[in-house]
Amino acid sequence: MKFFATTFLLITTLAICGAEDKDGWEIFREHFKLGNPELKTPPKILASKSDGDIFTVTIANASDETIAYEGYFSNEPQYFTSELVDGAWTPRPNLWCGTGMWGLLLEPGDRVTFSFQRHLKKRQIFVIFRDGSGGSSLAKVWDPTIAQKSSVTTKSAPNKSEQPSPTTR
């Protein structure tokens, strides 16, 4: 009996939570006030490389301000993904526990190389960057469908126009 009651409550909760027409990250962006305002100068992608079970993306802070991101290590940021489903990019949740995660700084002109598992190569990958003046962006650091360019795309507002982002070379 408890199983059926628990199942009913879970299904009801999921149905209520999914009732809004949000793109999957809109509530997340609103809650953390991402993109309000956007970073003045988003980080730049310098290179990407595949190496066996991982691929890497090297990013530089092209602004004159220190920016921050969260991660378990400097090369392992907290990231968020979208997956191509039926011709549309669908946000996929990542369950970050936060244990062991810390704020990491990227000084002006500094570079960092992020490492990702090979199975993520078919997904768009986003990282949150913040600056000291309250600016933040959900920045696209990897996109398997677009040729690599020199800057990342920010995605803090729904339906924001797409800018170039990286693929393998």
Side-chain angles (χ1 to χ4, degrees):
M1 183 67 174
K2 287 182 183 180
F3 173 77
F4 293 112
T6 304
T7 303
F8 175 76
L9 289 173
L10 178 62
I11 291 171
T12 304
T13 301
L14 291 174
I16 292 169
C17 291
E20 296 183 36
D21 290 323
K22 303 282 186 177
D23 74 354
W25 285 343
E26 189 173 332
I27 294 171
F28 171 79
R29 288 189 301 263
E30 289 171 2
H31 177 75
F32 290 106
K33 297 182 170 77
L34 294 177
N36 190 15
E38 291 281 350
L39 291 177
K40 294 174 191 150
T41 306
K44 291 193 175 204
I45 296 172
L46 301 177
S48 60
K49 182 173 88 170
S50 287
D51 188 21
D53 288 338
I54 64 166
F55 68 98
T56 61
V57 178
T58 301
I59 298 184
N61 180 359
S63 74
D64 56 359
E65 294 185 59
T66 300
I67 58 175
Y69 61 97
E70 289 189 356
Y72 295 105
F73 301 100
S74 62
N75 68 333
E76 293 181 19
Q78 179 183 29
Y79 62 86
F80 306 88
T81 66
S82 282
E83 184 175 22
L84 192 60
V85 178
D86 296 329
W89 288 103
T90 303
R92 292 294 182 215
N94 290 341
L95 302 174
W96 297 99
C97 71
T99 303
M101 220 181 318
W102 49 324
L104 300 156
L105 300 178
L106 194 57
E107 300 291 335
D110 282 356
R111 300 173 180 197
V112 65
T113 300
F114 293 150
S115 298
F116 301 102
Q117 295 296 316
R118 183 179 60 201
H119 74 276
L120 294 171
K121 205 167 189 178
K122 293 181 180 180
R123 293 186 180 194
Q124 293 176 329
I125 300 175
F126 301 84
V127 175
I128 298 171
F129 290 94
R130 298 182 183 279
D131 65 19
S133 63
S136 62
S137 293
L138 182 63
K140 186 190 308 179
V141 299
W142 178 261
D143 189 326
T145 64
I146 301 175
Q148 178 147 352
K149 300 293 180 191
S150 62
S151 64
V152 295
T153 300
T154 57
K155 184 177 174 55
S156 292
N159 303 322
K160 187 166 183 135
S161 63
E162 292 294 319
Q163 298 174 2
S165 55
T167 62
T168 58
R169 289 184 173 197

